[in-house]
Amino acid sequence: MGEQQHVKFPQEVIDEYASLGVDLRALFSAGHLGNRMGVQIVEASAERVVGTMPVEGNTQPYGLLHGGASAVLAETLGSVGSMLHGGSSKIAVGVDLNCTHHRGARSGLVTGVATPVHRGRSTATYEIVISDEEGRRVCSARLTCLLRDVRPGDEVHLQQGAGA
């Protein structure tokens, strides 16, 4: 996943998390798994989350992008959107993910764009469209997250960036 200095966050989100002493870029990252898979979050707000992932290193034995890799990208982007919707008093926990794989990808980067379908008080659902470099849809996914209140002890994980 690498450095996150180029992620675009809305100013009000930056201000909210800075006041809590939370590392915003670490919190809204894909964590260790995303790092191993090369996920990069490019843009993040409750209205739209955009991220990329290389195909290379994330393939199945036939050389095609692994469906599980698409699922990781989709869940990452939808979780970030859900966390931003919930705000600093909530934690987003994925409770349902489904993915439909439309076409294979053998090389290059895939780009995922997560947009909200539903943003409520206790759940958030995002549609995630993953496309190849030619703009062809590779995967359609939908993620629903439970938005639960931050509990004592969660703050340590949030400050370490283990929340998304």
Side-chain angles (χ1 to χ4, degrees):
M1 183 125 89
E3 295 297 314
Q4 295 291 314
Q5 70 254 21
H6 299 296
V7 180
K8 294 184 228 171
F9 289 103
Q11 188 60 48
E12 63 271 12
V13 172
I14 294 169
D15 296 343
E16 177 182 359
Y17 286 89
S19 70
L20 299 171
V22 174
D23 181 347
L24 184 66
R25 286 175 173 80
L27 176 63
F28 295 110
S29 72
H32 298 293
L33 178 60
N35 190 24
R36 284 194 299 270
M37 296 181 72
V39 172
Q40 292 283 331
I41 297 176
V42 178
E43 175 186 332
S45 72
E47 292 76 30
R48 178 179 154 98
V49 182
V50 179
T52 62
M53 181 180 65
V55 173
E56 184 178 346
N58 295 313
T59 57
Q60 38 88 312
Y62 300 113
L64 297 170
L65 177 64
H66 195 291
S70 293
V72 167
L73 179 59
E75 184 150 357
T76 298
L77 301 178
S79 293
V80 168
S82 296
M83 291 280 291
L84 288 166
H85 164 65
S88 61
S89 66
K90 300 282 187 179
I91 290 179
V93 181
V95 295
D96 182 62
L97 173 67
N98 75 54
C99 300
T100 301
H101 307 287
H102 304 291
R103 70 179 326 115
R106 292 189 177 276
S107 63
L109 284 177
V110 290
T111 299
V113 179
T115 54
V117 174
H118 166 78
R119 290 187 293 172
R121 287 177 292 162
S122 60
T123 63
T125 300
Y126 280 76
E127 177 186 40
I128 304 94
V129 174
I130 300 173
S131 304
D132 64 15
E133 289 180 321
E134 287 77 42
R136 298 175 299 189
R137 190 178 292 224
V138 172
C139 176
S140 297
R142 188 187 68 239
L143 173 71
T144 298
C145 288
L146 172 69
L147 300 174
R148 73 163 177 82
D149 292 333
V150 173
R151 298 176 183 155
D154 286 340
E155 294 85 2
V156 173
H157 295 287
L158 290 174
Q159 290 172 347
Q160 294 172 349

